[in-house]
Amino acid sequence: MKKVHRLCPYLDTINRQVLDFDFEKLCSVSLSRINVYACLVCGKYFQGRGTNTHAYTHSVAESHHVFLNLQTLKFYCLPDNYEIVDSSLDDIKYVLNPTFTPKHVGQLDTCDKRSRAIDGTLYLPGIVGLNNIKANDYCNVILQALSNVTPLRDYFLDERNYAKVKRPPGDSVFLLVQRFGELMRKLWNPRNFKAHVSPHEMLQAVVLWSGKKFQFTEQGDPIDFLSWFLNSLHRALNGKKSRHSSIVYKTFMGSMRVKTRKIPPVELDEKQRYSLLCTDEYAEHVSESPFLYLTCDLPPPPLFKDEVMENIIPQVSLYSLLTKFNNESEKEYKTYKENFMKRFEITQLPPYLILYIKRFTKNTFFVEKNPTIVNFPVKNVDFGDILTPEVKAAHKNTSYDLIANIVHDGEPNKGTYRVHVLKQGNSKWYEMQDLHVSDILPQMITLTEAYIQIYKLRTDR
């Protein structure tokens, strides 16, 4: 059957300024998710379109006549109940469901063309502010940083990549993958109606799937969220233990060798200690361990400050933090009854390396923050220096460039987070803190209290 094209006299009543498809697709009256329509005049969501439905009642009571089915992407005129087919409405359809061709995706890292929102605001696709609903800035910085990791972004921009992933019956963790894909497409949409995005649906999925461990009403720790989120995405994509089983492991997974030896109790004399060290229990044990990020330990800040040192913040070089992984430095780990010495040797570097700089220490009473500034180069960080000669020989490239830097400002329990992101298209840095997006010089990034960093492997040599 041929579709009947009906010219609708009410198209000029559509108000694109009020349309917001970032929120949950549920009826504003019945809170149902089934058969929901958006009123294109006032932007509210209503259920159904037959007589006595909420959308029908709204159209008669308010004289709002143009509606969009959020599932089928079809337009209808109520109460007359006919379908509207008009190409002038395609932009609304695209905002609700942005799609990307492989050609478009391939050009994202070479293009730095700005887009214009309906209110005239200019924005760069990919460098877009995220709404802070209450206290979800710790999630926002992770989502904004991950949206600029090229292989991850390219995978999620094309829905066909994960459309055929099968999950067991009754398991809906895959919703997390779909919501992340939707958010990614909205962040990179060159035809958005507004210059920011609300991560509402994405965060609802996070709250649901983390069993309310991560909320958007109270502050959390970005590293906990990042670790949980990457592992959940990997699991939802049917990832296994192997490196190539999902896009998450393929992008971020490295491996290391951990060498552990037990320390004899201090109260023993020399002879007893020596005899214990000869036993198998106290010999050095080697284990292979994959990682998605590396934890760097900051040296403890000075306990006492004199008058001169009062304003001097301690500084440390990134390279000295990385010596933890050079197979020589030993670090002591304590459990409630035993002490261990561990050495770490990186055996495989990932294409994208995440560093977590441990700033917070928790004790029984409170959380302390270490304000030490880490000095790091923005380009050409060579991780080859911490690899053993055999491992280094197996790596063609060992130099990395920084592409994202997450910063914590303020007190340990009530601070805020912001993120610096490198836009590949124009090689410029941008600072994002929720809805605020501004340019920043690379020299300024190195002066911040870096917390989580993402580095990209250089392949140009």
Side-chain angles (χ1 to χ4, degrees):
M1 277 177 69
K2 263 189 157 182
K3 249 182 196 170
V4 182
H5 290 239
R6 294 287 297 266
L7 287 171
C8 182
Y10 300 111
L11 290 187
D12 59 344
T13 63
I14 294 174
N15 183 1
R16 285 170 171 78
Q17 303 267 17
V18 297
L19 299 184
D20 189 342
F21 300 126
D22 289 347
F23 291 96
E24 276 191 292
K25 316 279 186 287
L26 44 88
C27 171
S28 58
V29 183
S30 68
L31 301 183
S32 166
R33 298 168 191 278
I34 302 160
N35 202 18
V36 179
Y37 289 77
C39 170
L40 300 186
V41 184
C42 65
K44 289 178 184 167
Y45 295 170
F46 298 98
Q47 189 181 17
R49 69 169 200 276
T51 47
N52 298 328
T53 58
H54 298 300
Y56 185 93
T57 311
H58 176 75
S59 76
V60 175
E62 303 291 334
S63 290
H64 293 175
H65 299 291
V66 191
F67 288 79
L68 165 64
N69 185 312
L70 296 174
Q71 192 67 42
T72 63
L73 305 189
K74 288 181 177 177
F75 297 89
Y76 295 92
C77 180
L78 297 182
D80 301 355
N81 205 1
Y82 60 82
E83 186 180 346
I84 305 163
V85 181
D86 194 308
S87 59
S88 69
L89 301 172
D90 287 352
D91 61 332
I92 297 174
K93 217 184 282 188
Y94 192 84
V95 166
L96 176 57
N97 186 27
T99 50
F100 291 79
T101 61
K103 185 186 174 191
H104 185 184
V105 171
Q107 293 170 342
L108 290 177
D109 283 345
T110 53
C111 171
D112 67 334
K113 191 170 161 228
R114 288 179 175 269
S115 297
R116 191 181 291 276
I118 275 189
D119 61 358
T121 319
L122 288 171
Y123 71 95
L124 263 173
I127 306 293
V128 175
L130 281 175
N131 221 338
N132 189 346
I133 298 163
K134 188 172 180 192
N136 54 284
D137 54 334
Y138 76 99
C139 294
N140 287 355
V141 289
I142 294 294
L143 296 170
Q144 283 165 323
L146 291 179
S147 74
N148 280 275
V149 174
T150 305
L152 196 70
R153 177 201 69 196
D154 293 357
Y155 179 86
F156 280 98
L157 285 182
D158 190 345
E159 231 177 328
R160 290 170 301 183
N161 288 331
Y162 45 93
K164 292 191 172 73
V165 173
K166 293 274 186 287
R167 294 293 300 165
D171 175 72
S172 53
V173 69
F174 191 66
L175 192 69
L176 205 62
V177 174
Q178 290 170 317
R179 292 284 179 261
F180 186 54
E182 284 168 17
L183 182 70
M184 207 67 102
R185 292 197 294 279
K186 283 175 182 173
L187 288 173
W188 285 90
N189 182 2
R191 294 185 246 161
N192 261 334
F193 284 172
K194 51 192 193 326
H196 66 271
V197 171
S198 177
H200 201 272
E201 286 193 287
M202 173 78 235
L203 294 173
Q204 291 281 24
V206 166
V207 173
L208 179 68
W209 279 107
S210 65
K212 300 191 177 174
K213 182 184 174 187
F214 300 104
Q215 302 268 13
F216 47 78
T217 52
E218 54 191 65
Q219 189 67 280
D221 192 331
I223 193 64
D224 294 342
F225 175 64
L226 175 68
S227 176
W228 171 85
F229 186 60
L230 291 181
N231 282 303
S232 299
L233 275 186
H234 171 72
R235 210 169 57 248
L237 291 165
N238 289 334
K240 304 284 183 290
K241 285 186 176 177
S242 75
R243 184 183 304 281
H244 297 287
S245 61
S246 84
I247 186 67
V248 176
Y249 275 17
K250 223 181 277 185
T251 308
F252 295 114
M253 191 180 180
S255 53
M256 64 164 82
R257 225 168 260 137
V258 184
K259 297 170 183 179
T260 312
R261 64 182 179 86
K262 208 165 157 185
I263 307 170
V266 186
E267 60 271 14
L268 300 180
D269 61 34
E270 200 65 38
K271 195 177 175 186
Q272 289 171 309
R273 286 166 68 89
Y274 183 74
S275 61
L276 272 180
L277 287 171
C278 294
T279 62
D280 188 47
E281 189 189 347
Y282 283 84
E284 189 168 71
H285 295 280
V286 181
S287 61
E288 297 288 333
S289 172
F291 66 84
L292 289 175
Y293 62 87
L294 294 175
T295 303
C296 298
D297 304 303
L298 288 171
L303 280 174
F304 304 104
K305 298 173 182 170
D306 56 23
E307 289 81 37
V308 186
M309 287 281 290
E310 189 62 50
N311 298 321
I312 296 175
I313 297 169
Q315 298 192 12
V316 64
S317 151
L318 178 68
Y319 290 109
S320 66
L321 297 186
L322 293 173
T323 54
K324 173 183 173 180
F325 306 100
N326 66 2
N327 194 32
E328 290 166 18
S329 307
E330 282 195 311
K331 186 168 186 337
E332 189 175 347
Y333 289 84
K334 296 180 181 179
T335 63
Y336 67 98
K337 60 175 184 177
E338 292 169 328
N339 292 0
F340 297 92
M341 294 299 276
K342 291 191 177 188
R343 286 188 295 147
F344 303 94
E345 177 194 356
I346 292 177
T347 53
Q348 171 87 49
L349 287 169
Y352 284 79
L353 182 65
I354 302 175
L355 287 187
Y356 157 51
I357 296 162
K358 197 172 176 187
R359 287 202 175 273
F360 301 110
T361 46
K362 295 185 175 94
N363 59 30
T364 323
F365 305 106
F366 52 86
V367 180
E368 277 184 292
K369 181 181 175 186
N370 188 330
T372 304
I373 297 286
V374 179
N375 295 319
F376 55 90
V378 174
K379 281 191 164 178
N380 233 345
V381 183
D382 193 358
F383 285 80
D385 301 344
I386 58 168
L387 301 179
T388 57
E390 309 87 70
V391 175
K392 190 171 182 180
H395 283 78
K396 188 179 169 195
N397 298 303
T398 55
S399 287
Y400 284 79
D401 291 341
L402 185 69
I403 60 158
N405 180 52
I406 292 170
V407 176
H408 179 267
D409 298 309
E411 298 294 310
N413 287 324
K414 47 180 188 282
T416 55
Y417 292 95
R418 55 197 165 106
V419 61
H420 303 121
V421 170
L422 175 68
K423 170 77 173 162
Q424 315 262 353
N426 57 12
S427 298
K428 283 186 183 169
W429 281 91
Y430 294 88
E431 180 176 277
M432 293 188 275
Q433 186 164 14
D434 299 328
L435 293 175
H436 305 288
V437 179
S438 57
D439 304 25
I440 187 169
L441 291 168
Q443 300 90 302
M444 302 302 290
I445 294 169
T446 57
L447 304 174
T448 55
E449 294 178 7
Y451 189 53
I452 299 169
Q453 299 184 320
I454 304 180
Y455 287 89
K456 177 189 178 185
L457 184 65
R458 294 180 76 127
T459 51
D460 52 3
R461 292 193 293 155

